[in-house]
Amino acid sequence: MVAASKNPSPKAILHGFLSVTMKVSELLRKDGTRNEIDGGDALINGIMNIYKEAGYTSHDVVAKLRGIVKQKKIGHTGTLDPDAVGVLPVCFGSATKLCDMLTDKSKEYEALMRLGVTTDTQDMSGRILTETQVHVSEEEVKQAIMYFIGGYAQIPPMYSALKVHGKKLYEFAREGKEIERQPRPVEIFSIQILEIRLPEVRFVVSCSKGTYIRTLCTDIGQRLGCGAAMAHLTRTRVGNFRIADSITLDKVEELMQQGTYENYVIAPDSVFMEYEGATVKCEAENALANGNKLYSRQLDFDHHKSFSDGEQLRVYNGNHEFRAVYIFAENEGVFKPCKMFL
């Protein structure tokens, strides 16, 4: 009789590894919203449309959510001033790869502007610098506001999180220092004036990323010659995330206790539904899993269409699980990975 070896063979080690891998894979939900391991906490993979309340920074919201859902991998999609309220999409788990992409989305705000006053923060939370009587007509106000529709070069405020020489501007501002800032191109897509009750004006503005509504109010006030500051701000939309569908932190906590939070977790691929979708064929599964380029012949498209250079594509594996966004390179006739969600 041959004595059994105390050390497992390479074949046995490989078999054991594959068995563990298969068991873990079985625990992964196909909808991408959560993973769950026996005896452990549920791991959320998706996006929640959070209503940020006044008094919280965007970082505060993330910190509180980590405590509520017991999960570390969480990220927000762009800062919102502490006094501002409204839409703040928050990404969980693998969906945190979307944070920079959602930051690029267009945004919509409802703002209340007060004419005749300027502050060091460009809103009414700051130290008042000047106060003047307002002697402008409603028509002059309308013309000054509408002047900014389109593209213009906006100088970011000192009280902002933008970095200069590796230091945030608001840190310089708190030290009483004024730092030279370069104008940045922004786009005001539309402005709708809701109400004029001088010295206050309420309006809705749709704009590109990087636009400071505080600064827009300041610029309008300068054009009118009386100064202005932002009195209140509500972010009503980020991309396709709208305020009517947002939920508060208290609501998230309630949903977690009830075990019904999944109804409010948005799958990562929902952000890309304007793009064409495709499922890889069996022979291309490994290419997708490794983030390799893909050819049209390796894909089953949701719709038959031709692609232009730079067009993006949602890609799913054979189990219809969202795995990546690819981009078409026309000069090579292939799709290249843009963002992987493996």
Side-chain angles (χ1 to χ4, degrees):
M1 181 180 292
V2 179
S5 173
K6 293 182 180 180
N7 297 319
S9 67
K11 185 176 181 180
I13 293 173
L14 177 61
H15 177 75
F17 172 76
L18 291 175
S19 297
V20 171
T21 302
M22 289 175 66
K23 288 178 181 178
V24 172
S25 297
E26 289 170 1
L27 293 170
L28 301 181
R29 286 181 50 144
K30 292 183 179 181
D31 61 8
T33 56
R34 60 180 273 193
N35 302 331
E36 190 169 9
I37 298 177
D38 291 340
D41 294 325
L43 182 67
I44 301 173
N45 290 300
I47 310 156
M48 280 190 181
N49 182 0
I50 301 298
Y51 179 88
K52 191 194 84 66
E53 297 166 279
Y56 292 107
T57 65
S58 299
H59 179 75
D60 291 338
V61 172
V62 169
K64 285 198 167 286
L65 283 169
R66 284 182 179 137
I68 293 171
V69 306
K70 312 302 181 188
Q71 180 173 324
K72 290 183 179 179
K73 199 171 184 181
I74 303 176
H76 66 76
T77 57
T79 56
L80 193 56
D81 291 342
D83 290 339
V85 300
V87 175
L88 181 68
V90 177
C91 300
F92 297 77
S94 62
T96 53
K97 295 177 181 179
L98 284 170
C99 286
D100 58 335
M101 303 181 83
L102 287 175
T103 302
D104 289 343
K105 296 290 184 180
S106 65
K107 299 173 177 65
E108 183 182 88
Y109 299 87
E110 181 177 318
L112 180 64
M113 174 177 64
R114 185 169 302 165
L115 300 175
V117 60
T118 64
T119 74
D120 59 350
T121 59
Q122 299 184 340
D123 62 18
M124 294 307 298
S125 70
R127 178 172 57 88
I128 293 177
L129 302 176
T130 64
E131 288 185 281
T132 59
Q133 293 292 318
V134 177
H135 299 295
V136 295
S137 66
E138 289 191 7
E139 186 57 36
E140 288 173 321
V141 171
K142 290 178 183 177
Q143 289 179 5
I145 291 173
M146 295 305 175
Y147 170 83
F148 289 94
I149 293 178
Y152 90 101
Q154 187 182 75
I155 299 175
M158 277 301 301
Y159 280 88
S160 65
L162 291 177
K163 287 187 176 181
V164 175
H165 308 306
K167 191 172 180 179
K168 293 178 180 177
L169 283 175
Y170 69 74
E171 293 174 334
F172 286 111
R174 288 172 180 171
E175 295 171 358
K177 298 176 182 177
E178 180 85 13
I179 302 297
E180 183 179 358
R181 289 98 66 204
Q182 295 300 315
R184 303 193 310 165
V186 299
E187 182 102 13
I188 306 298
F189 302 122
S190 65
I191 299 179
Q192 179 188 2
I193 298 174
L194 301 178
E195 183 181 29
I196 298 178
R197 302 181 78 176
L198 295 176
E200 292 187 332
V201 183
R202 189 180 301 276
F203 59 89
V204 172
V205 56
S206 176
C207 57
S208 64
K209 70 167 186 174
T211 305
Y212 286 91
I213 307 303
R214 284 180 286 141
T215 304
L216 175 62
C217 291
T218 297
D219 293 341
I220 292 170
Q222 287 178 347
R223 186 163 182 83
L224 286 168
C226 60
M230 187 179 73
H232 189 262
L233 184 69
T234 301
R235 186 153 68 188
T236 54
R237 180 181 60 78
V238 175
N240 292 324
F241 295 90
R242 299 183 181 278
I243 195 167
D245 304 316
S246 62
I247 57 175
T248 64
L249 292 173
D250 286 344
K251 180 66 174 179
V252 174
E253 190 164 19
E254 178 186 327
L255 293 169
M256 291 298 295
Q257 291 171 354
Q258 295 173 349
T260 56
Y261 67 91
E262 287 181 358
N263 296 331
Y264 292 85
V265 177
I266 302 161
D269 61 339
S270 65
V271 176
F272 307 107
M273 294 311 290
E274 70 266 33
Y275 305 142
E276 171 71 357
T279 302
V280 293
K281 295 179 180 178
C282 183
E283 64 269 21
E285 286 279 4
N286 287 338
L288 173 63
N290 293 324
N292 296 337
K293 61 186 178 183
L294 297 170
Y295 294 87
S296 294
R297 64 177 181 273
Q298 297 175 309
L299 298 162
D300 286 324
F301 296 95
D302 293 348
H303 307 92
H304 294 289
K305 61 164 288 185
S306 58
F307 285 83
S308 302
D309 188 58
E311 276 197 73
Q312 294 183 309
L313 176 73
R314 288 176 288 116
V315 182
Y316 299 78
N317 65 15
N319 293 324
H320 305 292
E321 298 165 331
F322 177 59
R323 284 293 175 257
V325 172
Y326 272 64
I327 189 166
F328 185 62
E330 189 173 25
N331 60 332
E332 299 179 51
V334 299
F335 293 91
K336 295 184 174 181
C338 173
K339 186 76 72 171
M340 303 300 296
F341 297 88
L342 301 177

